[in-house]
Amino acid sequence: MITNHKLCSIYGKKPAVTDYYSKKKAIQSGKLSIHNYTNNRLIFNYQINPTSKISVVSESIDPFYINHMISNENISIFIECNNQKLKLSHNSGYIPKLYSFKYKLDNGYTLVISINEKGINNIKKEYLYIFILLAIICFLLCLAFALNHDKNKSIQQLIQQGLNKGEFIPYYQPIINSKTQQLVGCEVLVRWKRCNGEIFPPYLFIKNVENCHLIYPMTKSILQQVLADFTQVQVDDSFCASINVTPQQLENPQFMAECINIIESQKTHCPNIALEVTERMKFTDIDKAKSVMTHLSDYGIKLKLDDAGTGFGGFSYLQTLPLDTIKIDKMFIDTIGTNDMKRDILKAIINFGHETNLEMIAEGVETQQQVDYLAKKNVHIIQGYLYAQPMPFCKFKQYIKQFSHN
């Protein structure tokens, strides 16, 4: 929202839009105007009064048509309203000897696509190539399952079988204090190690695990393995191993009681345990979660908000739930040293963390420039490829030895 004297924007105090669009052709319908903007985008302006307006910038329009297969002479895309036309494609205008397709939008707007025979043929070829590619991929996947004698098993059966065989194992990614260069903890990340030696990262299976309601036995299995692993090494009293859980698990007092019992069974050799809950998934019963998390906190388990700033709860979770730590998502870390507008969100997260005395961990750190910037903002707890990738415990045990002499 822009007025003569003030600006309110999701991007902070700096305006996300410039007057560049005002020099371009536009179509007008009442208080709403649509202009071409930079990088193949559109900007929508709604004039509230003579001195105030709301501006919204669209995503790039390129993904909505296959322009890498079609030259500018073959296709034309316009939006029309009240005999006004606004060009969306890159060519110079309407194309002669072509077909025209119209689709009516809301409020009197119409999307017009004009295309000649060459353009239609190119589109047909594009979809044919996509169909052939998908067919080949499906065939290879089916063949792979057949070769592994799994063709008659559902994904749920495969996951259950993997759990029974102990195929889901923990990997460890170190967390370093950049100020002291000390190892202060690790995040535990699950991997699926099949009997044939193949190792799959969680994004290939974790959604299926959650949908099959097998996340509960998997989490307990990972926790038991972590506690068993740490009987082999000596770590500082402040060292903390973080295990990922879902919001639904934190709303389940019985499950969390079972996790506490597992920790109690290894109390003498147990490192500090933290539970990380992602903000990308929504709590369904925030009051129940608060009660369970308070009990966990009283027991001495730290609670971390993963992917902070990317999901449902935002700062409301931090104000409602007994969280100890914010994990700043890689999405925001990547804005350091760039002009990305999300850098203002990074600043807001860091400022909020300092004001509320929450510990902050920067995830996905890959460059020294990022470490230096974060250090200036008094954020020193770092996790990322700059220091180490996730690794099996046999390698992590060797990694820990680097810090034993300090």
Side-chain angles (χ1 to χ4, degrees), residues 161-377:
Q161 182 185 72
L163 283 169
N164 295 340
K165 291 183 176 181
E167 292 181 349
F168 294 95
I169 60 173
Y171 267 46
Y172 300 85
Q173 185 169 29
I175 299 174
I176 305 294
N177 185 321
S178 65
K179 189 174 184 179
T180 64
Q181 293 300 306
Q182 291 296 301
L183 177 69
V184 296
C186 65
E187 181 179 359
V188 179
L189 302 159
V190 65
R191 296 290 187 268
W192 188 355
K193 187 176 182 179
R194 300 297 306 277
C195 56
N196 61 5
E198 290 180 292
I199 299 178
F200 299 114
Y203 69 85
L204 291 177
F205 60 82
I206 201 67
K207 282 296 181 186
N208 295 104
V209 173
E210 293 169 355
N211 293 337
C212 297
H213 303 289
L214 292 173
I215 191 68
Y216 291 89
M218 179 179 289
T219 301
K220 288 195 288 186
S221 172
I222 293 296
L223 177 59
Q224 289 168 335
Q225 292 179 69
V226 169
L227 297 176
D229 283 343
F230 275 95
T231 61
Q232 305 175 41
V233 294
Q234 185 71 36
V235 293
D236 293 340
D237 292 340
S238 59
F239 183 94
C240 186
S242 300
I243 296 174
N244 291 284
V245 294
T246 66
Q248 284 64 47
Q249 287 176 301
L250 286 176
E251 294 171 357
N252 189 323
Q254 180 180 349
F255 174 73
M256 284 303 153
E258 293 172 2
C259 290
I260 289 175
N261 289 336
I262 293 172
I263 295 171
E264 282 285 348
S265 68
Q266 294 285 348
K267 189 76 173 177
T268 55
H269 300 286
C270 181
N272 295 309
I273 295 295
L275 299 179
E276 291 187 16
V277 58
T278 179
E279 193 188 324
R280 297 180 191 270
M281 297 176 66
K282 191 175 183 179
F283 282 96
T284 57
D285 191 332
I286 198 75
D287 292 331
K288 183 178 288 187
K290 182 178 180 181
S291 175
V292 173
M293 292 170 72
T294 299
H295 177 65
L296 292 169
S297 183
D298 291 341
Y299 179 76
I301 294 176
K302 290 188 175 183
L303 299 163
K304 301 180 179 182
L305 183 65
D306 200 8
D307 310 315
T310 65
F312 289 96
F315 294 130
S316 64
Y317 284 170
L318 295 167
Q319 294 170 332
T320 305
L321 301 173
L323 293 156
D324 305 293
T325 304
I326 302 172
K327 297 198 74 177
I328 306 172
D329 191 80
K330 185 180 187 298
M331 175 197 306
F332 304 115
I333 300 301
D334 287 343
T335 66
I336 294 172
T338 74
N339 292 322
D340 193 313
M341 293 173 182
K342 291 190 293 293
R343 68 188 185 278
D344 291 329
I345 302 177
L346 172 62
K347 294 175 184 176
I349 293 172
I350 292 174
N351 290 337
F352 182 87
H354 287 314
E355 290 173 4
T356 54
N357 294 316
L358 289 166
E359 182 184 52
M360 286 177 280
I361 300 175
E363 288 189 290
V365 175
E366 297 181 349
T367 69
Q368 188 61 44
Q369 180 190 17
Q370 293 170 341
V371 171
D372 295 340
Y373 173 90
L374 292 164
K376 290 178 181 178
K377 298 291 184 180

